[in-house]
Amino acid sequence: MKIEALHIGMKVRHPQYGIGVVKTISETTADIQFDDGKRTVAPEPSGLEPAEPQAAVRGLDMPLSQFVQRTVDATIQKLGLEKPDFVLEKLGARWHGGKVVLHPADPALQTKEVPLETFFHKVVMVRNNLRVLEQKVNAHEKLSDGEKVEMQQYITRSYGSLTTFNILFKKRKISFEPIHVSAVV
């Protein structure tokens, strides 16, 4: 490993001393804190390697921020989640600017009003969290197939309860349908 590849705080693996953290870097050596103490090591001849995941993007034709944003967007789409500003676009136009008003049975208690956009956002977040839970259940390595099916039924019933709120969506058909991810076995 070249000295230029090191940075302070980086975790490294030494063939003899094990895992350590880079504390200081000079022109040819680095001080590394290992479990048994601090040692000065020349990275190239010692066989030092990164102990944490590394990434290198070669031939990047766009700014790094744009690359990261595209990666995040693809991840959000793959997980079936929406960005917060996208949620309002799915709210039916007739509901924009509306309120949810809750009147308690006891007239001495105060009425609660919630902007419909806020309420809608919370309902959509519940759906998104159910989708993530569903994927985690299906991919869980310690659950049996029977346990996965049982938990999936609870999630499906929760989706069913959320269909009450389909009236809020522009397109009612796409709102609270469960996504089914096959179990990783």
Tab-separated table of all heavy atoms in Angstrom, residues 105-141:
chain	number	residue	atom	x	y	z
A	105	ALA	N	-65.211	13.582	21.537
A	105	ALA	CA	-66.587	13.382	21.991
A	105	ALA	C	-66.935	14.347	23.123
A	105	ALA	O	-68.071	14.789	23.236
A	105	ALA	CB	-66.785	11.935	22.442
A	106	ASP	N	-65.955	14.690	23.940
A	106	ASP	CA	-66.170	15.619	25.053
A	106	ASP	C	-66.028	17.045	24.526
A	106	ASP	O	-64.937	17.472	24.124
A	106	ASP	CB	-65.130	15.343	26.138
A	106	ASP	CG	-65.298	16.219	27.366
A	106	ASP	OD1	-66.153	17.133	27.352
A	106	ASP	OD2	-64.562	15.978	28.347
A	107	PRO	N	-67.115	17.830	24.515
A	107	PRO	CA	-67.051	19.189	23.975
A	107	PRO	C	-66.134	20.117	24.762
A	107	PRO	O	-65.745	21.175	24.268
A	107	PRO	CB	-68.497	19.683	24.012
A	107	PRO	CG	-69.228	18.745	24.890
A	107	PRO	CD	-68.449	17.477	24.980
A	108	ALA	N	-65.745	19.719	25.964
A	108	ALA	CA	-64.836	20.541	26.759
A	108	ALA	C	-63.401	20.454	26.238
A	108	ALA	O	-62.569	21.292	26.543
A	108	ALA	CB	-64.884	20.118	28.227
A	109	LEU	N	-63.124	19.433	25.455
A	109	LEU	CA	-61.783	19.244	24.908
A	109	LEU	C	-61.645	19.987	23.588
A	109	LEU	O	-62.612	20.189	22.860
A	109	LEU	CB	-61.486	17.757	24.719
A	109	LEU	CG	-61.486	16.920	26.000
A	109	LEU	CD1	-61.311	15.452	25.668
A	109	LEU	CD2	-60.382	17.390	26.941
A	110	GLN	N	-60.417	20.348	23.282
A	110	GLN	CA	-60.133	21.151	22.094
A	110	GLN	C	-60.089	20.286	20.829
A	110	GLN	O	-59.615	19.159	20.843
A	110	GLN	CB	-58.791	21.860	22.285
A	110	GLN	CG	-58.472	22.866	21.216
A	110	GLN	CD	-57.176	23.627	21.528
A	110	GLN	OE1	-56.483	23.310	22.473
A	110	GLN	NE2	-56.875	24.616	20.718
A	111	THR	N	-60.580	20.852	19.730
A	111	THR	CA	-60.519	20.203	18.423
A	111	THR	C	-59.083	20.256	17.913
A	111	THR	O	-58.365	21.220	18.145
A	111	THR	CB	-61.454	20.937	17.435
A	111	THR	OG1	-62.783	20.836	17.931
A	111	THR	CG2	-61.382	20.335	16.042
A	112	LYS	N	-58.660	19.207	17.211
A	112	LYS	CA	-57.296	19.134	16.648
A	112	LYS	C	-57.397	19.259	15.139
A	112	LYS	O	-58.155	18.541	14.492
A	112	LYS	CB	-56.653	17.804	17.052
A	112	LYS	CG	-55.327	17.521	16.436
A	112	LYS	CD	-54.225	18.318	17.082
A	112	LYS	CE	-52.879	17.884	16.534
A	112	LYS	NZ	-51.806	18.686	17.006
A	113	GLU	N	-56.618	20.183	14.559
A	113	GLU	CA	-56.569	20.345	13.108
A	113	GLU	C	-55.151	20.065	12.635
A	113	GLU	O	-54.192	20.556	13.223
A	113	GLU	CB	-56.964	21.763	12.703
A	113	GLU	CG	-58.422	22.074	12.937
A	113	GLU	CD	-58.814	23.444	12.419
A	113	GLU	OE1	-57.984	24.126	11.784
A	113	GLU	OE2	-59.970	23.830	12.654
A	114	VAL	N	-55.033	19.273	11.574
A	114	VAL	CA	-53.740	18.921	10.993
A	114	VAL	C	-53.807	19.224	9.499
A	114	VAL	O	-54.759	18.799	8.828
A	114	VAL	CB	-53.423	17.419	11.205
A	114	VAL	CG1	-52.110	17.031	10.568
A	114	VAL	CG2	-53.442	17.070	12.683
A	115	PRO	N	-52.832	19.969	8.954
A	115	PRO	CA	-52.833	20.184	7.495
A	115	PRO	C	-52.833	18.830	6.774
A	115	PRO	O	-52.126	17.898	7.173
A	115	PRO	CB	-51.536	20.947	7.240
A	115	PRO	CG	-51.173	21.553	8.556
A	115	PRO	CD	-51.697	20.614	9.601
A	116	LEU	N	-53.636	18.703	5.747
A	116	LEU	CA	-53.770	17.433	5.033
A	116	LEU	C	-52.451	16.993	4.412
A	116	LEU	O	-52.169	15.798	4.359
A	116	LEU	CB	-54.861	17.532	3.967
A	116	LEU	CG	-55.520	16.234	3.553
A	116	LEU	CD1	-55.899	15.363	4.740
A	116	LEU	CD2	-56.741	16.489	2.723
A	117	GLU	N	-51.623	17.931	3.975
A	117	GLU	CA	-50.318	17.566	3.421
A	117	GLU	C	-49.469	16.857	4.474
A	117	GLU	O	-48.789	15.878	4.182
A	117	GLU	CB	-49.569	18.801	2.896
A	117	GLU	CG	-50.121	19.353	1.605
A	117	GLU	CD	-51.270	20.345	1.809
A	117	GLU	OE1	-51.734	20.532	2.953
A	117	GLU	OE2	-51.717	20.918	0.804
A	118	THR	N	-49.528	17.334	5.729
A	118	THR	CA	-48.773	16.716	6.824
A	118	THR	C	-49.315	15.318	7.113
A	118	THR	O	-48.551	14.353	7.255
A	118	THR	CB	-48.868	17.583	8.099
A	118	THR	OG1	-48.361	18.878	7.793
A	118	THR	CG2	-48.089	16.972	9.244
A	119	PHE	N	-50.624	15.204	7.191
A	119	PHE	CA	-51.258	13.911	7.440
A	119	PHE	C	-50.923	12.921	6.322
A	119	PHE	O	-50.551	11.772	6.577
A	119	PHE	CB	-52.772	14.098	7.545
A	119	PHE	CG	-53.527	12.822	7.770
A	119	PHE	CD1	-53.529	12.216	9.021
A	119	PHE	CD2	-54.243	12.230	6.740
A	119	PHE	CE1	-54.221	11.032	9.231
A	119	PHE	CE2	-54.931	11.055	6.946
A	119	PHE	CZ	-54.935	10.446	8.192
A	120	PHE	N	-51.040	13.376	5.076
A	120	PHE	CA	-50.753	12.532	3.917
A	120	PHE	C	-49.301	12.067	3.939
A	120	PHE	O	-49.008	10.893	3.706
A	120	PHE	CB	-51.044	13.321	2.637
A	120	PHE	CG	-50.842	12.546	1.374
A	120	PHE	CD1	-51.714	11.529	1.016
A	120	PHE	CD2	-49.788	12.836	0.516
A	120	PHE	CE1	-51.539	10.823	-0.159
A	120	PHE	CE2	-49.609	12.130	-0.659
A	120	PHE	CZ	-50.486	11.123	-0.996
A	121	HIS	N	-48.383	12.986	4.263
A	121	HIS	CA	-46.961	12.638	4.339
A	121	HIS	C	-46.746	11.533	5.374
A	121	HIS	O	-46.003	10.574	5.128
A	121	HIS	CB	-46.139	13.874	4.683
A	121	HIS	CG	-44.683	13.603	4.836
A	121	HIS	ND1	-43.855	13.357	3.761
A	121	HIS	CD2	-43.909	13.502	5.940
A	121	HIS	CE1	-42.624	13.127	4.205
A	121	HIS	NE2	-42.636	13.215	5.518
A	122	LYS	N	-47.387	11.625	6.518
A	122	LYS	CA	-47.232	10.611	7.570
A	122	LYS	C	-47.798	9.257	7.129
A	122	LYS	O	-47.203	8.218	7.397
A	122	LYS	CB	-47.878	11.084	8.865
A	122	LYS	CG	-47.117	12.242	9.501
A	122	LYS	CD	-47.771	12.716	10.770
A	122	LYS	CE	-47.087	13.945	11.318
A	122	LYS	NZ	-45.833	13.699	11.956
A	123	VAL	N	-48.918	9.269	6.437
A	123	VAL	CA	-49.500	8.021	5.931
A	123	VAL	C	-48.551	7.364	4.927
A	123	VAL	O	-48.298	6.160	4.981
A	123	VAL	CB	-50.885	8.272	5.285
A	123	VAL	CG1	-51.384	7.044	4.531
A	123	VAL	CG2	-51.900	8.679	6.351
A	124	VAL	N	-47.981	8.159	4.037
A	124	VAL	CA	-47.052	7.631	3.034
A	124	VAL	C	-45.780	7.112	3.704
A	124	VAL	O	-45.232	6.082	3.317
A	124	VAL	CB	-46.748	8.694	1.948
A	124	VAL	CG1	-45.615	8.240	1.042
A	124	VAL	CG2	-48.001	8.959	1.120
A	125	MET	N	-45.321	7.782	4.758
A	125	MET	CA	-44.136	7.312	5.479
A	125	MET	C	-44.411	5.970	6.160
A	125	MET	O	-43.531	5.105	6.208
A	125	MET	CB	-43.668	8.351	6.500
A	125	MET	CG	-43.097	9.608	5.854
A	125	MET	SD	-41.813	9.314	4.611
A	125	MET	CE	-40.556	8.561	5.585
A	126	VAL	N	-45.621	5.775	6.679
A	126	VAL	CA	-45.986	4.468	7.251
A	126	VAL	C	-45.888	3.407	6.167
A	126	VAL	O	-45.319	2.332	6.373
A	126	VAL	CB	-47.406	4.502	7.868
A	126	VAL	CG1	-47.903	3.099	8.196
A	126	VAL	CG2	-47.428	5.371	9.113
A	127	ARG	N	-46.416	3.710	4.985
A	127	ARG	CA	-46.336	2.759	3.874
A	127	ARG	C	-44.882	2.459	3.514
A	127	ARG	O	-44.498	1.294	3.329
A	127	ARG	CB	-47.060	3.298	2.648
A	127	ARG	CG	-46.960	2.323	1.469
A	127	ARG	CD	-47.310	2.913	0.147
A	127	ARG	NE	-46.409	4.011	-0.175
A	127	ARG	CZ	-46.566	4.777	-1.238
A	127	ARG	NH1	-47.569	4.587	-2.050
A	127	ARG	NH2	-45.722	5.740	-1.482
A	128	ASN	N	-44.053	3.491	3.419
A	128	ASN	CA	-42.648	3.288	3.075
A	128	ASN	C	-41.943	2.431	4.115
A	128	ASN	O	-41.154	1.548	3.775
A	128	ASN	CB	-41.939	4.626	2.924
A	128	ASN	CG	-42.358	5.376	1.673
A	128	ASN	OD1	-42.973	4.804	0.780
A	128	ASN	ND2	-42.039	6.645	1.621
A	129	ASN	N	-42.218	2.684	5.381
A	129	ASN	CA	-41.604	1.879	6.442
A	129	ASN	C	-42.076	0.430	6.388
A	129	ASN	O	-41.307	-0.487	6.663
A	129	ASN	CB	-41.874	2.498	7.810
A	129	ASN	CG	-41.086	3.775	8.025
A	129	ASN	OD1	-40.004	3.946	7.467
A	129	ASN	ND2	-41.618	4.677	8.819
A	130	LEU	N	-43.331	0.207	6.011
A	130	LEU	CA	-43.810	-1.165	5.830
A	130	LEU	C	-43.079	-1.857	4.686
A	130	LEU	O	-42.748	-3.040	4.772
A	130	LEU	CB	-45.318	-1.183	5.546
A	130	LEU	CG	-46.228	-1.061	6.758
A	130	LEU	CD1	-47.672	-0.867	6.308
A	130	LEU	CD2	-46.106	-2.264	7.658
A	131	ARG	N	-42.802	-1.118	3.620
A	131	ARG	CA	-42.061	-1.701	2.492
A	131	ARG	C	-40.657	-2.119	2.910
A	131	ARG	O	-40.189	-3.206	2.561
A	131	ARG	CB	-41.974	-0.701	1.335
A	131	ARG	CG	-43.263	-0.543	0.591
A	131	ARG	CD	-43.111	0.456	-0.530
A	131	ARG	NE	-44.297	0.438	-1.370
A	131	ARG	CZ	-44.493	1.272	-2.367
A	131	ARG	NH1	-43.588	2.180	-2.659
A	131	ARG	NH2	-45.589	1.201	-3.085
A	132	VAL	N	-39.982	-1.264	3.667
A	132	VAL	CA	-38.634	-1.594	4.131
A	132	VAL	C	-38.687	-2.797	5.068
A	132	VAL	O	-37.874	-3.720	4.957
A	132	VAL	CB	-37.965	-0.378	4.815
A	132	VAL	CG1	-36.656	-0.771	5.465
A	132	VAL	CG2	-37.747	0.742	3.800
A	133	LEU	N	-39.667	-2.804	5.986
A	133	LEU	CA	-39.832	-3.944	6.895
A	133	LEU	C	-40.067	-5.236	6.113
A	133	LEU	O	-39.478	-6.274	6.417
A	133	LEU	CB	-40.989	-3.694	7.862
A	133	LEU	CG	-41.344	-4.844	8.803
A	133	LEU	CD1	-40.180	-5.153	9.732
A	133	LEU	CD2	-42.589	-4.500	9.606
A	134	GLU	N	-40.892	-5.149	5.086
A	134	GLU	CA	-41.187	-6.317	4.255
A	134	GLU	C	-39.920	-6.859	3.600
A	134	GLU	O	-39.661	-8.062	3.587
A	134	GLU	CB	-42.210	-5.916	3.195
A	134	GLU	CG	-42.715	-7.047	2.334
A	134	GLU	CD	-43.838	-6.577	1.428
A	134	GLU	OE1	-43.849	-5.401	1.005
A	134	GLU	OE2	-44.691	-7.411	1.140
A	135	GLN	N	-39.090	-5.971	3.081
A	135	GLN	CA	-37.844	-6.406	2.452
A	135	GLN	C	-36.896	-7.014	3.473
A	135	GLN	O	-36.245	-8.024	3.200
A	135	GLN	CB	-37.174	-5.227	1.749
A	135	GLN	CG	-37.933	-4.788	0.520
A	135	GLN	CD	-37.357	-3.526	-0.100
A	135	GLN	OE1	-36.542	-2.829	0.502
A	135	GLN	NE2	-37.792	-3.218	-1.314
A	136	LYS	N	-36.832	-6.423	4.661
A	136	LYS	CA	-35.943	-6.962	5.694
A	136	LYS	C	-36.416	-8.335	6.168
A	136	LYS	O	-35.605	-9.218	6.414
A	136	LYS	CB	-35.835	-5.991	6.864
A	136	LYS	CG	-35.013	-4.768	6.518
A	136	LYS	CD	-34.813	-3.878	7.729
A	136	LYS	CE	-33.990	-2.684	7.333
A	136	LYS	NZ	-32.698	-2.660	7.938
A	137	VAL	N	-37.716	-8.516	6.319
A	137	VAL	CA	-38.252	-9.825	6.709
A	137	VAL	C	-37.917	-10.857	5.641
A	137	VAL	O	-37.428	-11.949	5.939
A	137	VAL	CB	-39.785	-9.753	6.943
A	137	VAL	CG1	-40.411	-11.143	6.980
A	137	VAL	CG2	-40.088	-9.007	8.235
A	138	ASN	N	-38.150	-10.525	4.390
A	138	ASN	CA	-37.910	-11.478	3.303
A	138	ASN	C	-36.438	-11.827	3.141
A	138	ASN	O	-36.101	-12.921	2.705
A	138	ASN	CB	-38.461	-10.929	1.984
A	138	ASN	CG	-39.968	-11.017	1.931
A	138	ASN	OD1	-40.575	-11.924	2.497
A	138	ASN	ND2	-40.592	-10.065	1.274
A	139	ALA	N	-35.548	-10.907	3.502
A	139	ALA	CA	-34.114	-11.153	3.331
A	139	ALA	C	-33.447	-11.681	4.606
A	139	ALA	O	-32.264	-11.994	4.587
A	139	ALA	CB	-33.421	-9.868	2.888
A	140	HIS	N	-34.198	-11.779	5.693
A	140	HIS	CA	-33.609	-12.175	6.978
A	140	HIS	C	-33.133	-13.619	6.926
A	140	HIS	O	-33.881	-14.529	6.560
A	140	HIS	CB	-34.623	-11.994	8.101
A	140	HIS	CG	-34.000	-11.907	9.444
A	140	HIS	ND1	-33.522	-13.001	10.113
A	140	HIS	CD2	-33.766	-10.843	10.241
A	140	HIS	CE1	-33.022	-12.616	11.271
A	140	HIS	NE2	-33.169	-11.311	11.382
A	141	GLU	N	-31.868	-13.831	7.290
A	141	GLU	CA	-31.287	-15.173	7.156
A	141	GLU	C	-31.671	-16.116	8.283
A	141	GLU	O	-31.585	-17.330	8.128
A	141	GLU	CB	-29.756	-15.074	7.048
A	141	GLU	CG	-29.079	-14.624	8.307
A	141	GLU	CD	-28.380	-13.281	8.190
A	141	GLU	OE1	-28.507	-12.598	7.174
A	141	GLU	OE2	-27.713	-12.920	9.158
